[in-house]
């Protein structure tokens, strides 16, 4: 099995909210509360879950801290998507051993997808761990913590068909106060053969749309100006209503409901599975100016033969047809990004070239690219052989990344000379004299701050770019 560092962050210099990157909890005001330190790995859904965990534990006498040395309880919210994501957590646990020796009273819990995958084996493999909690068992945390404090080890990895944590208001950790994530569904019913998520997150279930609209409305009232609706496959969102009060709410309906809260609240969503994104969703995007024209549409491969082995349920031509439809309804400006996997089982040079040529066809704005990492007990691990050598996976990955970089630059160059509406997220990482924020297509834009501030919408004329960032200056009016 290869240990390839598969996540390469190449493009968004200003955007570090990425997969496999740990994020830690913030300092909550608290004088007499017990201190909790949470570190999150993996995708935005895991980060969103950490905010639910912080909320549950706040009700039970804990306040988050960013200082691990003062915490009584340390929680690692883990990811299992690739082997290196798990290795990162194991390294982190090893790192904590000396601290645990010094402060025996500190309790260490692992949450999330790796906890769900390994279950009680986690306790055997990593002696430092006191508690293992799967993604659907967070309401049980207070009980589990009590058990641990009584000197026992505690485990709850029960996966639910109903849990959506709809009634829990997340505590926004590490927030810029302008953009926030809202989980609209949990789990995944697709069976992509390479993927561990259906086993770590369980069956797909959608959250009550009214609780979603309420959360988005409250965020807007608190000054937030952008929400991203999150799910592994948002386009299959479906809420059946209660007692026939309501017809089924689809994702297109939900998008419209959230977009109608206020025209100044931007709405984004992720991730779209190509098989599920409908014309209704595309038309809802077109109808509402505040639904951002950006779609994350992972292809995974450009080869129909590989897509079949991956069980993605579409082929190359079908995917291209979907791209054509997006361009037809939303225009060529609509941002599109991809996920690609290189070196999946049996992938030939020809298959790899199909991936490169699909990229040439689409010209994605951005991409997340990975070398295939076999995950235990997935259909691919059971039925196929992980037969592509690490060097080949990596070489193909490098080629895919190089192509993406060219396309990102090309797409960014299209933005030059135009005025873009930017939602300011804060200062640029490089200079306190510059602000940064995104345009509709999710591209990061940097410009001199003048008198603007976080949360403002600013019209920026883009004058230059790199493959990662657009650069410009504020102008009075939108040019046509
Ligand atoms: N639900 C999303 C993806 C979630 S996982 C979707 O269907 O698109 C994020 C990305 O990780 C996937 O799109 C895929 O590109 C990558 N990934 C998942 N399993 C992987 C594996 N075993 N090896 C390498 N990359 C993987
Ligand atoms: Fe994994 Fe496929 Fe579900 Fe995405 S849609 S989470 S890749 S099984
Ligand atoms: Fe990782 Fe689980 Fe997300 S495996 S990518 S944290 S759903």
């Amino acid at each position: 099995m290869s240990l390839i560092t598969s996540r390469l962050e190449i493009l968004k210099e200003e955007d570090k909210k990425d997969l496999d990157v740990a994020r830690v909890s913030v300092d909550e005001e608290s004088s007499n509360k017990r201190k909790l330190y949470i570190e999150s790995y993996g995708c935005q859904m895991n980060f969103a879950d950490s905010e639910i965990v912080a909320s549950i534990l706040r009700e039970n006498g804990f306040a988050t801290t960013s200082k691990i040395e003062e915490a009584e309880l340390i929680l690692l919210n883990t990811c299992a998507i690739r082997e290196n994501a798990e290795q990162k957590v194991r390294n982190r646990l090893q790192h904590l051993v000396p601290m645990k020796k010094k402060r025996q009273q500190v309790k260490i819990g692992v949450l999330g997808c790796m906890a769900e995958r390994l279950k009680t084996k986690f306790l055997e493999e990593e002696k430092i761990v006191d508690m293992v909690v799967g993604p659907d068992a967070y309401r049980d945390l207070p009980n589990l913590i009590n058990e641990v404090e009584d000197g026992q080890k505690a485990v709850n990895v029960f996966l639910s068909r109903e849990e959506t944590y709809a009634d829990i208001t997340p505590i926004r950790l590490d927030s810029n106060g302008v953009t926030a994530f809202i989980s609209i569904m949990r789990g995944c019913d697709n069976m992509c053969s390479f993927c561990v998520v259906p086993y770590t997150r369980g069956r797909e279930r959608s959250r009550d749309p009214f609780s979603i609209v309420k959360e988005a409305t409250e965020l807007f009232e608190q000054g937030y100006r952008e929400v991203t609706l999150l799910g592994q496959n948002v386009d299959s969102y479906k809420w059946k209503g209660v007692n026939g009060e309501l017809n089924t709410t689809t994702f297109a309906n939900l998008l419209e409901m959230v977009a109608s809260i206020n025209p100044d609240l931007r709405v984004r969503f992720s991730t779209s599975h190509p098989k599920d994104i409908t014309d209704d969703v595309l038309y809802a995007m077109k109808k509402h100016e505040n639904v951002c024209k950006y779609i994350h549409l992972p292809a995974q491969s450009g080869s129909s033969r590989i897509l079949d082995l991956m069980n993605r349920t579409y082929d190359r031509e079908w995917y291209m047809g979907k791209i054509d439809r997006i361009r037809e309804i939303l225009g060529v400006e609509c941002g599109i990004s991809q996920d690609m996997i290189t070196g999946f089982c049996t992938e030939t040079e020809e298959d790899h070239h199909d991936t490169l040529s699909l990229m040439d066809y689409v010209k994605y704005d951005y991409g997340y690219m990975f070398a295939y990492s076999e995950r235990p007990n997935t259909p691919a691990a059971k039925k196929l052989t992980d037969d592509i050598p690490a060097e080949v996976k990596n070489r193909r990955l490098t080629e895919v990344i190089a192509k993406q970089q060219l396309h990102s630059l090309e797409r960014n160059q299209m933005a030059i000379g135009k005025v873009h509406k930017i939602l300011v997220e804060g200062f640029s990482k490089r200079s306190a004299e510059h602000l940064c924020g995104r345009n509709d297509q999710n591209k990061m834009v940097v410009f001199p701050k003048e008198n603007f501030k976080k949360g403002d919408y600013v019209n920026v004329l883009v004058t230059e770019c790199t493959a990662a960032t657009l650069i410009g200056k504020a102008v009075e009016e939108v040019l046509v």
Side-chain angles (χ1 to χ4, degrees):
M1 203 183 290
S2 64
L3 237 181
I4 301 162
T5 304
S6 50
R7 175 74 172 84
L8 294 184
E9 291 153 44
I10 50 160
L11 297 174
K12 289 189 186 168
E13 288 158 7
E14 300 284 339
D15 178 12
K16 294 294 177 207
K17 287 181 184 172
D18 289 331
L19 285 165
D20 296 353
V21 178
R23 273 209 274 157
V24 298
S25 51
V26 289
D27 297 298
E28 274 185 85
E29 287 300 314
S30 69
S31 44
N32 50 5
K33 289 194 156 186
R34 301 160 73 195
K35 297 276 199 250
L36 155 72
Y37 173 91
I38 314 185
E39 204 166 273
S40 311
Y41 297 78
C43 63
Q44 295 299 353
M45 269 156 280
N46 242 20
F47 297 134
D49 279 3
S50 291
E51 300 185 331
I52 287 170
V53 167
S55 178
I56 292 171
L57 291 182
R58 180 191 269 181
E59 295 298 306
N60 287 272
F62 283 91
T64 58
T65 172
S66 62
K67 297 174 207 72
I68 195 164
E69 60 289 351
E70 68 178 29
E72 275 178 52
L73 176 64
I74 297 172
L75 298 176
L76 304 188
N77 195 357
T78 62
C79 173
I81 200 83
R82 285 167 289 275
E83 194 184 346
N84 64 327
E86 292 201 358
Q87 196 53 47
K88 210 173 272 181
V89 171
R90 290 187 194 275
N91 294 346
R92 185 62 174 135
L93 287 168
Q94 283 316 305
H95 209 83
L96 296 179
V97 169
M99 189 202 63
K100 174 90 171 172
K101 280 205 176 114
K102 250 195 265 157
R103 293 168 61 219
Q104 304 252 335
Q105 75 283 10
V106 178
K107 302 298 176 198
I108 298 181
V110 285
L111 317 177
C113 291
M114 192 179 169
E116 188 65 47
R117 191 179 84 70
L118 290 168
K119 304 185 170 58
T120 49
K121 256 182 25 200
F122 222 138
L123 297 175
E124 291 154 29
E125 289 177 16
E126 305 288 345
K127 300 281 181 252
I128 186 179
V129 171
D130 298 296
M131 184 169 75
V132 179
V133 191
D136 286 345
Y138 298 146
R139 286 183 203 267
D140 196 26
L141 271 167
N143 300 326
L144 297 167
I145 293 168
N146 283 342
E147 279 179 40
V148 162
E149 281 171 350
D150 287 346
Q152 302 161 46
K153 300 262 175 179
V155 179
N156 186 344
V157 287
F158 174 74
L159 282 176
S160 156
R161 277 172 177 261
E162 285 95 34
E163 182 62 270
T164 60
Y165 301 110
D167 56 314
I168 295 176
T169 307
I171 292 180
R172 304 289 159 186
L173 303 170
D174 191 22
S175 165
N176 59 13
V178 178
T179 60
F181 293 90
I182 302 182
S183 288
I184 63 162
M185 59 200 296
R186 299 181 72 81
C188 184
D189 280 353
N190 294 319
M191 279 287 164
C192 303
S193 61
F194 52 81
C195 185
V196 77
V197 171
Y199 310 94
T200 62
R201 293 253 157 190
R203 299 304 297 268
E204 184 179 293
R205 67 219 96 119
S206 297
R207 177 178 163 191
D208 175 347
F210 298 103
S211 74
I212 297 169
V213 170
K214 180 169 172 273
E215 189 174 332
T217 307
E218 285 169 3
L219 284 166
F220 184 76
E221 283 162 359
Q222 289 159 25
Y224 285 82
R225 289 294 172 264
E226 181 183 297
V227 292
T228 303
L229 308 180
L230 285 182
Q232 289 298 353
N233 181 10
V234 286
D235 302 273
S236 69
Y237 175 91
K238 194 167 275 171
W239 176 258
K240 298 237 170 59
V242 188
N243 304 329
E245 280 165 38
L246 244 194
N247 295 327
T248 300
T249 307
T250 63
F251 181 60
N253 302 144
L254 178 72
L255 208 47
E256 296 220 29
M257 287 162 75
V258 180
S260 303
I261 293 172
N262 193 298
D264 278 341
L265 181 67
R266 272 186 171 178
V267 188
R268 299 187 186 277
F269 55 91
S270 189
T271 296
S272 291
H273 192 298
K275 78 174 163 57
D276 293 310
I277 187 164
T278 57
D279 278 5
D280 286 350
V281 171
L282 302 179
Y283 284 121
M285 290 175 76
K286 189 181 164 92
K287 181 169 155 197
H288 295 268
E289 203 247 22
N290 56 332
V291 179
C292 294
K293 308 300 176 278
Y294 165 69
I295 302 175
H296 183 52
L297 199 71
Q300 313 297 1
S301 168
S303 153
S304 293
R305 189 183 72 82
I306 294 292
L307 286 168
D308 186 40
L309 289 177
M310 287 176 162
N311 195 30
R312 286 292 286 183
T313 73
Y314 53 85
D315 62 13
R316 175 188 173 87
E317 284 65 37
W318 197 91
Y319 184 90
M320 286 169 148
K322 197 49 93 177
I323 296 289
D324 295 344
R325 197 73 186 129
I326 293 170
R327 302 268 192 240
E328 223 172 284
I329 296 175
L330 295 168
V332 71
E333 288 82 24
C334 179
I336 304 180
S337 59
Q338 46 88 351
D339 288 352
M340 291 287 183
I341 297 177
T342 64
F344 187 65
C345 312
T346 79
E347 187 187 70
T348 62
E349 283 306 310
E350 198 186 334
D351 295 319
H352 171 57
H353 281 104
D354 283 349
T355 296
L356 294 171
S357 69
L358 178 70
M359 293 173 75
D360 284 329
Y361 183 82
V362 182
K363 291 206 197 300
Y364 294 100
D365 294 78
Y366 187 70
Y368 300 86
M369 294 144 286
F370 313 96
Y372 174 55
S373 164
E374 188 182 77
R375 307 312 295 129
N377 299 319
T378 53
K382 285 186 185 156
K383 292 191 206 119
L384 301 168
T385 311
D386 181 14
D387 56 354
I388 308 301
E391 320 76 82
V392 177
K393 286 179 179 172
N394 266 340
R395 194 253 305 147
R396 290 179 186 164
L397 180 62
T398 310
E399 290 175 14
V400 167
I401 289 169
K403 184 161 287 291
Q404 183 53 54
Q405 196 128 21
L406 285 177
H407 289 158
S408 293
L409 182 60
E410 207 176 302
R411 292 282 299 176
N412 280 358
Q413 281 164 343
M414 280 171 56
I416 294 179
K418 296 189 180 124
V419 174
H420 299 250
K421 187 175 168 188
I422 308 304
L423 172 60
V424 180
E425 292 180 16
F427 286 106
S428 154
K429 291 235 164 72
R430 304 229 169 116
S431 142
E433 292 308 307
H434 288 77
L435 294 172
C436 70
R438 278 163 216 282
N439 72 357
D440 214 4
Q441 289 76 30
N442 208 35
K443 293 181 197 289
M444 192 52 90
V445 183
V446 175
F447 59 97
K449 77 171 192 301
E450 301 178 42
N451 292 321
F452 300 108
K453 57 180 193 318
K454 212 157 86 165
D456 286 349
Y457 284 105
V458 183
N459 290 322
V460 174
L461 173 66
V462 171
T463 50
E464 319 164 51
C465 72
T466 66
T469 312
L470 304 178
I471 301 150
K473 74 186 280 299
V475 288
E476 293 264 306
E477 283 172 62
V478 181
L479 301 180
V480 215

